């Protein structure tokens, strides 16, 4: 694709779509060489949606931002945007990320070294607007013009930019075409970070203008603060569901399974992504089976927000991030547990262990550990008897960006897989160089309009390519295969993308968590814990 | 005229140092941020650095003393600074152009340091440095200076060519970017031509630097060489005012962001800083923020906007 889009095009008048992706523009998938198929047809946005919402960027729409009705409204919104832009660069409002933001904005050399690291850019066939530096460069020019008050000389040095409502609206959408995976940042010779710029743009829109995807804010972090979980489950519902899971697990494994609740003084407060309880009950179920069998002192909590590890604020809003992190820590303190162990959820790991670490002051800084190290200790320490021959099928591992590139938890999951999965093979690249699943930064739970098409076809494309390559020699559907994704959101994205590209039907590629593989190999458990059925 | 030249050179060096320091101090004084590290982090245990692991891989990591290896950081930083390792690995075509440019600048800077040392020693001992040491110093800075100038010139020309021809660079290139590279070409070109063509008996670099240290205006500087020195001086003062000051930023982007994995636990400096930040009063306007300039960040964080905006205990 020869994409001639320029930075100034972001200000083109409303109603002009900046990018249209044709299937042939997209990076070919390995399977398309075999049978020519590369997923379903992309459902176009209806004219009604286009008339109603700001969707002039590309073929999809993440924000459903209503179009302003009058020029006055547009001016007011631009004014709000400018106010937010200034706040991003003040100590009082943005001490949380001011230093890294300034470093990135003031020093990018526009060398484009980072572009080739980005799976969204590459998968789209190198669409200019998805280049990691595209949104950053627009943002940088706005900074020099409107925050530093640059005149003609500044425009000459840093580049000119016209601020219009159409540009603000496109920029808002563009902030939701990046997975915040920071693979681009890893390659930058200067240490600049385009993922951070996206994060800060999202914050500007949310914290100043109240603009964020519904799935992340209203039915995400706000619902979690209200009812305790972004799934909408209250404490009663989650306990009922888990009790049902316990019963199922007891029947399935032949072991009596009971999940402990609100045990004061337990060694471990385990916090799951509550989505697991509803979408993949075998995951919390497998944790219960394994922890009980290994004799671990653990508990779940039924306090507000403490039975749901998710913390969507990490992707778009510092206040929401802090609120949920504080709730998690307060519950652990109240229960007097030895430590919090985070279940298989990448962003929840990063939110509570890394990003919120320094705001958990005093006795709220409860020790926090990954479930991956706990599981590794159980497996490697021989605390349960395991029979790897039960896992004798091809397994590959997806590295959740949040746990791996952004936290450095690389080996524990591999130590486990090397012991219990005789046919384990890596994707390439992997570890800290991995590619995002395509669902990072909240995309996995965003499906408004045709956003799911975009994330299966564009942001999730690279991962599908990696999965197909990892199983290249055993794609025959007679051999079931397993993509191990020890993260709830990655699992959701991989499920959607596999389904979209029909890879269960065509190649019998299933996905699931890590703990399920361990329980599947437990000698004391009735064989067949992993069921080879699409879910 | 020589005095004017001395003044320009001294002022440019001073401006460079002050502007670079000002920039460094500005970043150093910026608030500590929420953690935002990116792996590999090279001060980890060497076995972990190899694959990008962290202390989070250790069970109950908080009970184990944190590993911090300065050698590990240096092992990363030295090849990065000297040979632009990240660029070499991730953007080879640009590295072929950028490396000679940067390495040329290092050689020039190093040669300037040696000339200053030679001039300083000769001022201190009241006569020129002679003998083996003198010859060694002279040969080294001459070789370093000339090769540095050639490399920087070739690199700047190659970078400019790429900026103007590679489509993905071209559309992100501002007039300022072009001027910056032209500035290098003109300054170093004049310097090189002036140095080569200067008449017998006119001052060379050592004479000029010694003259500045002694504030002795008697040396005669050839006009083209003087012009080269003036333009290079202005360029030197200009660099820290632009994004070319990434030599300052790079310290912070690596040490203070990518590699800053220091946990809050027992870190009094971080705890004190964050205690202060949490008293700041944000003015973000979105309704759910419950901010507005009157409430502190600590209060905002303790507010549940879904429970009537009330503060939780
Ligand atoms: S972010 Fe880094 S790699 Fe990307 S263009 Fe800027 S300086 Fe180059
Ligand atoms: S953070 Fe990831 S998705 Fe975003 S621009 Fe960088 S590489 Fe692309």
């Amino acid at each position: 694709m020869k994409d001639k889009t320029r930075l100034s095009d972001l200000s083109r008048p409303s109603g002009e779509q900046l990018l249209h992706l044709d299937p042939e523009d997209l990076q070919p998938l390995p399977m398309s060489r075999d049978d020519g198929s590369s997923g379903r047809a992309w459902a176009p946005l209806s004219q009604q949606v286009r008339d109603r919402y700001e969707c002039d960027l590309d073929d999809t729409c993440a924000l459903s931002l209503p179009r302003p009705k009058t020029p006055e409204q547009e001016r007011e919104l631009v004014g709000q945007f400018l106010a937010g832009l200034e706040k991003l660069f003040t100590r009082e409002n943005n001490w949380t990320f001011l230093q890294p933001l300034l470093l990135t904005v003031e020093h990018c050399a526009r060398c484009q070294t980072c572009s080739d690291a980005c799976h969204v850019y590459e998968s789209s066939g190198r669409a200019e607007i998805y280049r990691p530096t595209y949104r950053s460069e627009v943002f940088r020019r706005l900074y020099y013009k409107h925050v530093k008050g640059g005149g003609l000389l500044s425009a000459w040095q840093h580049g000119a930019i016209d601020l219009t409502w159409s540009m603000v609206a496109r920029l808002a959408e563009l902030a939701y075409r990046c997975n915040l995976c920071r693979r681009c940042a890893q390659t930058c010779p200067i240490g600049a970070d385009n993922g951070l710029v996206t994060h800060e743009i999202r914050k500007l829109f949310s914290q100043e203008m109240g603009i964020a995807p519904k799935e992340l804010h209203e039915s995400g972090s706000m619902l979690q603060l209200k009812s305790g979980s972004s799934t909408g489950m209250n404490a009663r519902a989650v306990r009922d569901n888990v009790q049902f899971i316990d019963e199922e697990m007891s029947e399935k494994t032949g072991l009596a399974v009971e999940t402990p609740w609100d045990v004061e003084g337990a060694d471990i407060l385990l916090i799951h992504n509550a989505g697991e309880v509803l979408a993949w009950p075998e995951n919390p179920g497998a944790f219960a089976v394994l922890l009980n069998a290994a004799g671990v002192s653990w508990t779940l909590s039924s306090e507000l927000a403490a039975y749901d590890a998710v913390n969507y604020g990490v992707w778009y809003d510092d206040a929401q991030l802090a609120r949920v992190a504080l709730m998690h820590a307060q519950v652990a303190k109240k229960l007097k547990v030895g430590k919090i162990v985070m279940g298989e959820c990448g962003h929840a790991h990063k939110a509570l262990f890394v990003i919120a670490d320094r705001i958990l002051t005093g006795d709220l800084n409860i020790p926090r550990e990954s479930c991956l190290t706990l599981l590794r200790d159980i497996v490697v320490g021989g605390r349960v008897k395991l029979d790897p021959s039960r896992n004798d099928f091809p397994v590959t591992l997806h590295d959740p960006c949040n746990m791996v590139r952004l936290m450095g938890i690389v080996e524990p999951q591999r130590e486990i897989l090397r012991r219990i999965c005789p046919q384990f093979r890596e994707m390439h690249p992997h570890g800290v160089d991995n590619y995002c699943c395509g669902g990072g930064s909240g995309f996995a739970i965003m499906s408004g309009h045709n956003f799911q098409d975009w994330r299966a076809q564009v942001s999730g494309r690279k991962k599908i390519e990696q999965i197909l390559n990892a199983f290249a020699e055993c794609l025959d559907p007679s051999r079931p295969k397993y993509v191990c994704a020890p993260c709830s959101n990655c699992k959701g994205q991989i499920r959607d993308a596999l389904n979209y590209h029909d890879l269960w039907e065509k190649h019998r590629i299933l996905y699931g968590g890590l703990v399920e593989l361990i329980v599947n190999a437990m000698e004391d458990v009735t064989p067949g814990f992993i069921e080879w059925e699409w879910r | 005229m020589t005095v004017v030249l001395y003044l320009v050179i001294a002022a440019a060096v001073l401006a460079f140092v002050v502007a670079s320091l000002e920039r460094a101090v500005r970043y150093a004084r910026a608030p500590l941020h929420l953690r935002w590290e990116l792996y590999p982090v090279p001060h980890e245990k060497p076995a972990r650095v190899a694959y990008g692991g962290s202390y989070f891989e250790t069970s109950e990591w908080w009970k184990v003393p944190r590993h911090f290896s300065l050698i590990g950081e240096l092992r990363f930083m030295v090849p990065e600074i000297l040979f632009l390792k990240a660029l070499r690995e991730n953007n080879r075509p640009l590295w072929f152009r950028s490396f000679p440019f940067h390495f040329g600048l290092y050689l020039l800077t190093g040669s300037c340091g040696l000339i200053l040392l030679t001039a300083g020693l000769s001022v201190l001992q009241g006569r020129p440095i002679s003998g083996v040491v003198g010859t060694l110093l002279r040969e080294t800075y001459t070789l370093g200076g000339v090769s540095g100038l050639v490399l920087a010139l070739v690199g700047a020309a190659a970078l400019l060519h790429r900026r103007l021809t590679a489509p993905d660079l071209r559309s992100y290139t501002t007039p300022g970017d072009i001027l910056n590279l032209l500035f290098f070409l003109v300054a170093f070109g004049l310097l090189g031509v002036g140095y080569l063509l200067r008449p017998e008996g006119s001052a060379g670099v050592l004479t000029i630097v010694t003259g500045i240290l002694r504030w002795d205006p008697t040396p005669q500087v050839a006009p083209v060489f003087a012009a080269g020195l003036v333009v290079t001086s202005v360029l030197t003062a200009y660099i820290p005012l632009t994004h070319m000051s990434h030599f300052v930023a790079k310290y912070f982007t690596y040490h203070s962001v990518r590699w800053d994995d220091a946990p809050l636990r027992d870190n009094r400096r971080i705890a004190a800083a964050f205690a202060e930040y949490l008293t700041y009063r944000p003015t973000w306007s979105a309704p759910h923020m419950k901010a507005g300039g009157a409430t502190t960040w600590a209060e905002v964080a303790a507010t549940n906007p879904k429970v009537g905006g009330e503060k939780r205990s």
Side-chain angles (χ1 to χ4, degrees):
Chain A
M1 178 171 59
K2 286 208 177 66
D3 185 352
K4 298 260 191 290
T5 310
R6 305 181 69 83
L7 293 162
S8 55
D9 288 331
L10 208 65
S11 315
R12 271 177 15 200
S14 292
E16 288 184 33
Q17 186 179 329
L18 220 55
L19 170 74
H20 168 64
L21 285 172
D22 281 320
E24 55 269 25
D25 295 333
L26 304 174
Q27 190 83 358
L29 286 174
M31 67 175 180
S32 53
R33 284 198 291 273
D34 299 337
D35 62 7
S37 85
S38 59
R40 291 187 219 135
W42 188 320
L45 292 175
S46 69
Q47 193 53 47
Q48 202 180 10
V49 168
R50 290 204 169 276
D51 291 344
R52 209 155 144 207
Y53 301 118
E54 292 288 353
C55 34
D56 296 333
L57 183 74
D58 53 9
D59 297 309
T60 189
C61 180
L63 286 166
S64 297
L65 192 56
R67 289 193 189 274
K69 296 202 168 43
T70 62
E72 285 70 43
Q73 280 181 1
E74 289 188 2
R75 270 196 292 277
E76 197 182 318
L77 285 162
V78 171
Q80 288 174 13
F81 173 81
L82 274 179
L85 183 67
E86 274 175 32
K87 287 176 194 176
L88 272 187
F89 291 94
T90 63
R91 198 179 173 96
E92 286 68 28
N93 282 299
N94 201 27
W95 55 271
T96 48
F97 286 97
L98 182 61
Q99 190 198 45
L101 182 62
L102 280 173
L103 288 164
T104 285
V105 170
E106 295 185 350
H107 296 285
C108 169
R110 284 152 291 157
C111 66
Q112 311 297 16
T113 302
C114 50
S115 300
D116 282 344
C118 176
H119 59 289
V120 176
Y121 176 62
E122 188 189 340
S123 296
S124 68
R126 298 188 151 70
E128 192 59 32
I129 59 167
Y130 300 150
R131 187 191 282 281
T133 45
Y134 187 90
R135 70 178 77 69
S136 303
E137 185 57 21
V138 168
F139 183 76
R140 175 171 301 108
R141 291 180 182 200
L142 290 171
Y143 163 73
Y144 279 113
K145 184 168 177 179
H146 295 284
V147 179
K148 300 291 271 185
L152 272 182
L153 191 64
S154 170
W156 193 76
Q157 191 178 21
H158 305 293
I161 191 96
D162 281 331
L163 179 60
T164 60
W165 165 246
S166 59
M167 181 232 251
V168 173
R170 287 196 184 97
L171 188 62
E173 273 294 324
L174 194 52
Y176 289 90
R177 300 295 185 275
C178 159
N179 283 119
L180 304 184
C181 72
R182 298 174 66 207
R183 196 170 190 272
C184 52
Q186 234 176 3
T187 64
C188 175
I190 292 179
D193 187 340
N194 293 303
L196 174 76
V197 173
T198 307
H199 180 256
E200 298 299 292
I201 297 174
R202 289 184 180 192
K203 275 169 48 186
L204 185 172
F205 281 106
S206 175
Q207 296 178 185
E208 184 66 14
M209 304 172 75
I211 294 171
K214 187 164 174 279
E215 297 93 330
L216 303 193
H217 189 65
E218 263 170 72
S219 28
S221 65
M222 289 300 254
L223 185 59
Q224 188 179 18
L225 290 170
K226 183 181 171 204
S227 72
S229 166
S230 60
T231 60
M233 281 189 292
N234 60 22
R236 174 91 192 264
V238 79
R239 286 191 73 142
D240 285 351
N241 279 324
V242 170
Q243 193 186 348
F244 179 71
I245 294 172
D246 284 349
E247 286 161 15
E248 269 220 342
M249 290 298 123
S250 303
E251 203 176 303
K252 193 170 173 182
T253 61
L255 302 173
V257 180
E258 196 186 338
T259 293
W261 283 96
D262 301 314
V263 181
E264 209 178 290
D267 285 347
I268 288 172
L269 167 63
L270 178 65
I271 314 185
H272 290 298
N273 179 321
E276 301 277 353
V277 173
L278 298 179
W280 302 287
E282 65 279 6
N283 180 279
F287 266 103
V289 171
L290 184 68
L291 297 188
N292 287 348
V296 174
S297 155
W298 68 289
T299 185
L300 297 188
S301 165
S302 60
E303 291 272 349
L304 192 72
Y307 50 88
D308 193 352
V310 308
N311 192 338
Y312 296 165
V314 78
W315 299 317
Y316 76 101
D317 191 299
D318 286 343
Q320 299 292 84
L321 161 87
R323 286 164 178 161
V324 172
L326 278 182
M327 281 177 152
H328 286 148
Q330 277 162 347
V331 169
K333 181 180 151 193
K334 190 170 152 196
L335 274 177
K336 301 189 185 73
V337 293
K339 60 187 171 192
I340 295 173
V341 168
M342 190 57 75
E344 294 187 11
C345 180
H347 87 276
H349 268 75
K350 193 183 68 177
L352 195 61
F353 294 22
V354 176
I355 313 276
D357 176 47
R358 292 171 179 175
I359 55 169
L360 298 177
T361 49
D363 53 6
L364 283 178
N365 205 279
I366 315 280
R368 286 146 288 155
E369 188 178 326
S370 171
C371 66
L372 299 180
T373 48
L374 177 69
L375 297 177
R376 186 256 329 264
D377 290 353
I378 291 173
V379 169
V380 175
R383 288 162 70 182
V384 290
K385 283 203 196 105
L386 297 166
D387 173 7
S389 71
R390 293 192 183 188
N391 284 337
D392 197 10
F393 42 81
V395 173
T396 192
L397 174 68
H398 165 65
D399 284 303
C401 302
N402 286 308
M403 290 169 170
V404 180
R405 180 168 28 257
L406 308 180
M407 282 184 74
I409 308 177
V410 187
E411 267 298 303
Q413 57 273 43
R414 291 178 161 76
E415 284 179 59
I416 296 169
L417 291 176
R418 285 195 288 261
R419 275 181 189 246
I420 65 167
C421 296
Q423 297 190 49
F424 168 58
R425 76 276 314 277
E426 293 279 11
M427 293 182 193
H428 295 286
H430 58 263
V432 292
D433 299 323
N434 73 320
Y435 280 104
C436 171
C437 61
S441 81
F443 292 179
I445 53 161
M446 289 163 56
S447 294
H449 307 296
N450 58 1
F451 197 73
Q452 203 172 336
D453 286 311
W454 186 85
R455 62 182 169 88
Q457 287 283 28
V458 183
S459 66
R461 197 170 193 84
K462 194 74 192 174
K463 187 53 58 180
I464 288 297
E465 180 191 318
Q466 283 193 289
I467 291 171
L468 286 166
N469 286 336
F471 293 135
E473 99 295 353
C474 56
L475 280 174
D476 191 286
S478 63
R479 286 178 72 186
K481 295 156 281 283
Y482 191 95
V483 181
C484 172
C487 164
S488 207
N489 284 337
C490 300
K491 227 157 48 180
Q493 165 67 18
I494 289 172
R495 170 195 61 199
D496 293 349
L498 289 176
N499 188 34
Y500 194 97
H501 294 281
D502 276 340
L503 298 184
W504 167 249
E505 289 301 324
K506 284 186 197 158
H507 300 299
R508 283 289 178 274
I509 301 178
L510 192 65
Y511 67 94
L514 177 63
V515 69
E516 294 92 316
L517 282 168
I518 302 175
V519 173
N520 196 53
M522 278 174 68
E523 285 184 5
D524 294 343
V525 162
T526 311
F529 183 81
I530 290 178
E531 291 172 25
W532 293 98
E533 279 169 11
W534 183 251
R535 47 188 167 267
Chain B
M1 277 318 277
T2 306
V3 173
V4 176
L5 179 67
Y6 287 176
L7 282 172
V8 170
I9 294 173
V13 171
L14 190 69
F16 177 86
V17 172
V18 169
S20 302
L21 277 178
E22 188 276 332
R23 197 172 269 265
V25 168
R26 189 156 63 89
Y27 295 130
R29 286 208 177 141
L32 297 176
H33 47 86
L34 298 184
R35 281 170 59 185
W36 193 250
E37 60 248 37
L38 191 61
Y39 289 84
V41 168
H43 57 236
E44 265 291 348
K45 292 177 184 156
R48 280 197 174 136
V49 175
Y51 62 82
S54 76
Y55 58 79
F56 286 121
E57 294 188 327
T58 306
S59 321
E60 311 218 313
W61 54 267
W62 52 92
K63 293 184 177 164
V64 182
R66 189 165 154 252
H67 187 88
F68 186 95
S69 160
L70 187 62
I71 302 278
E73 290 203 352
L74 289 174
R75 203 174 284 149
F76 180 95
M77 240 17 222
V78 171
E80 178 53 42
I81 293 171
L82 281 184
F83 306 116
L84 313 186
K85 191 165 167 276
L87 194 65
R88 185 170 188 277
E89 283 168 6
N90 300 307
N91 192 347
R92 197 59 67 90
L94 196 62
W95 181 82
F96 281 124
R97 293 150 171 96
S98 190
F99 172 68
F101 176 69
H102 283 89
F103 203 75
L105 293 183
Y106 300 155
L107 287 176
L108 277 172
T109 312
S111 299
C112 287
L114 284 183
I115 292 168
L116 189 63
L117 178 72
T118 313
L121 287 176
S122 68
V123 169
L124 281 180
Q125 71 175 23
R127 58 183 164 77
I129 307 294
S130 53
V132 183
V133 176
T135 312
L136 202 66
L137 281 169
R138 204 164 39 249
E139 295 298 324
T140 312
Y141 69 65
T142 307
L143 185 69
V146 171
S147 53
L149 202 65
V150 171
L151 281 174
L153 268 171
V154 169
L159 282 172
L160 183 61
H161 174 259
R162 189 159 175 85
R163 277 239 159 254
L164 294 175
T165 53
D168 57 343
L169 295 186
R170 181 74 195 93
S171 56
Y172 288 73
T173 297
T174 65
D177 294 329
I178 295 169
L179 171 98
N180 293 346
L181 288 166
L182 281 175
F183 209 159
F184 276 101
L185 284 172
V186 170
F188 291 172
L190 273 175
L191 207 57
V193 171
Y195 181 76
L196 288 177
L197 300 185
R198 71 191 200 286
E200 191 105 1
S202 73
V205 186
L206 182 65
T207 312
I208 295 169
V209 175
T210 313
I212 293 175
L213 292 182
R214 288 206 176 106
W215 209 252
D216 166 15
T218 48
Q220 291 300 308
V221 187
V224 182
F225 190 43
L229 286 168
V230 168
V231 181
T232 305
S233 299
V234 177
L235 173 65
T236 307
Y238 169 72
I239 287 172
L241 307 178
T242 70
H243 75 80
M244 292 185 287
S245 57
H246 50 242
F247 59 91
V248 176
K250 205 158 168 166
Y251 173 83
F252 293 97
T253 55
Y254 281 82
H255 290 266
S256 308
V257 184
R258 282 173 74 150
W259 302 345
D260 180 10
D261 61 350
L264 176 65
R265 299 187 70 76
D266 311 325
N267 191 322
R268 293 218 186 107
R269 185 182 71 95
I270 298 177
F274 273 65
E276 183 201 326
Y277 306 152
L278 288 167
T279 65
Y280 291 170
R281 295 173 193 278
T283 56
W284 292 107
S285 304
H288 74 274
M289 290 295 292
K290 307 286 176 197
T295 39
T296 64
W297 269 105
E299 289 164 333
V300 167
T303 299
N304 187 337
K306 273 302 191 188
V307 188
E310 293 305 315
K311 235 180 93 178
R312 300 191 311 270
S313 59

